[in-house]
Amino acid sequence: MSWEPTQFDATPPASLEPPTPPRPHWLRRLLGPVAGAALLVWKLAGPVLIAIKNIKFLALGLSFAASVAAYSLFWGWRFALGVVLLIFVHEMGHVFQLRHEGVPSTAPLFIPFLGAVVGMKELPKNAWVEAKVGLAGPILGSIGAAACFALGWQLDSQLLRAVAYLGFLINLFNLIPVVPLDGGRAAAALHPAFWILGLAALAGRFYWRPNPLLVLVAAVAVYELYRRWKERATPESVAYHTIPWSQRVTVAAVYLSLVAVLVVAVDLSHVARPA
C-alpha cells in the first residue's frame, strides 16, 4: 500500500476580504437552541445516570460484604465468603434467565441470614417462563457447588467440601414447592397441589429442626397460596397458567431430576463443618 501526499493549493486568494457567510436556514435557527438544551440536559443527566448505576453496584457490594461479615460471626470468614459466593452464583442464574426472557430485573441484593433476592420489575408472561426463571437459580447454583466440591476433592480441602455441601443444601431447600422459594415458581407450571405438599414439607422440616426462617417462609407461602387460589378463576390467572402439556412435562422432569441429584450430592458431600 502506498501513500500519496495531500496536495495543497498555495495560491493566495484574489481578495483579502472575508466572504459573507450565508444566513442559516430557518430549520437550523429553530433546532439550534433545542440541540443546545438537549446537550445541556445530557451533560447534567449523564453523571446522575452513572451515579444511579453505581448505587446499584454499591448496594450489591455492601449487602454482599454485610452477609459475609454476618456469617463470619459463626463460621469464620473463609467459609462465609465461599457460601455467599455460591449464593451469588445461584442468584445470577435467575438474573441471566430473566434477561434471556426479556423481563427487567434488579441486581441481587443480599440479606444476612435470609440469602438474597432478585426483584422482577414486571411479571413473567406465563407460568412456563416463571418456572424457567425459578429453576435457573438452583441449576446454576448446583453447578457452582459441584465445581466447588470437585476443587475441594482435588485439593483435599475439607473447607471447600463443606462449602459445597452447604451450597447443595441451600439449592435443595430452595426447591421446596412453595412461593417465594424457587420450587414454588416451578410448581406454578404444574399443579396447585404441589404448593400444599410444599407447606407440609416446611411443617415437617420445622418439626424436625425448628427455625424462625421457616416460619417466615411459611407465612409468605400461605399468603401467596391464598392469593393465587382466590384469583385462580380470573381470566388473567387462567391465561397465565394455561401452557402446553409438553412444557409441564419438561418442568416436572427438570424439577424432579434436580431434586434427586441434589439429594445424592448432599449425601456425598457431607462433612463436618471446619473450625
Side-chain angles (χ1 to χ4, degrees):
M1 181 180 295
S2 62
W3 295 89
E4 295 183 359
T6 305
Q7 301 296 322
F8 293 94
D9 186 4
T11 305
S15 173
L16 297 178
E17 292 289 334
T20 303
R23 297 184 63 185
H25 191 272
W26 66 269
L27 187 58
R28 292 183 180 179
R29 295 199 304 269
L30 177 63
L31 295 181
V34 176
L39 182 60
L40 178 62
V41 170
W42 171 251
K43 287 185 176 181
L44 294 176
V48 175
L49 295 176
I50 295 175
I52 292 174
K53 184 177 181 180
N54 289 337
I55 288 174
K56 293 180 180 179
F57 284 108
L58 180 62
L60 170 61
L62 289 177
S63 63
F64 183 97
S67 287
V68 172
Y71 296 137
S72 296
L73 297 176
F74 302 94
W75 298 336
W77 72 268
R78 293 184 301 168
F79 188 78
L81 178 61
V83 171
V84 177
L85 282 174
L86 286 185
I87 294 175
F88 176 72
V89 172
H90 173 108
E91 295 301 324
M92 289 308 297
H94 297 311
V95 172
F96 292 150
Q97 189 63 38
L98 283 167
R99 291 183 178 179
H100 178 73
E101 301 293 343
V103 180
S105 65
T106 65
L109 181 66
F110 291 87
I111 305 174
F113 306 114
L114 293 177
V117 294
V118 172
M120 294 185 294
K121 298 181 180 180
E122 62 183 48
L123 291 176
K125 62 181 180 180
N126 55 41
W128 165 243
V129 175
E130 181 181 5
K132 288 190 291 182
V133 171
L135 291 173
I139 289 175
L140 190 59
S142 299
I143 293 174
C148 185
F149 179 73
L151 185 61
W153 187 272
Q154 181 69 25
L155 300 177
D156 193 22
S157 170
Q158 186 180 13
L159 172 67
L160 291 177
R161 290 197 294 266
V163 170
Y165 165 76
L166 192 53
F168 288 132
L169 196 61
I170 289 172
N171 286 284
L172 181 61
F173 174 79
N174 269 277
L175 287 175
I176 296 177
V178 292
V179 179
L181 300 181
D182 299 328
R185 304 292 182 187
L190 300 176
H191 193 277
F194 280 87
W195 289 326
I196 298 175
L197 291 175
L199 287 175
L202 279 179
R205 177 65 175 80
F206 183 82
Y207 177 79
W208 176 54
R209 184 171 294 179
N211 189 317
L213 174 61
L214 298 177
V215 177
L216 178 61
V217 173
V220 176
V222 169
Y223 169 76
E224 187 67 21
L225 178 59
Y226 169 77
R227 185 186 68 80
R228 296 201 183 200
W229 182 262
K230 185 179 179 181
E231 298 175 355
R232 70 189 186 283
T234 62
E236 295 80 6
S237 180
V238 172
Y240 184 83
H241 292 93
T242 301
I243 60 175
W245 272 103
S246 59
Q247 294 178 352
R248 298 184 191 275
V249 171
T250 300
V251 172
V254 173
Y255 175 79
L256 294 176
S257 299
L258 191 56
V259 169
V261 168
L262 283 173
V263 167
V264 174
V266 167
D267 181 64
L268 290 177
S269 62
H270 181 263
V271 294
R273 181 177 63 85

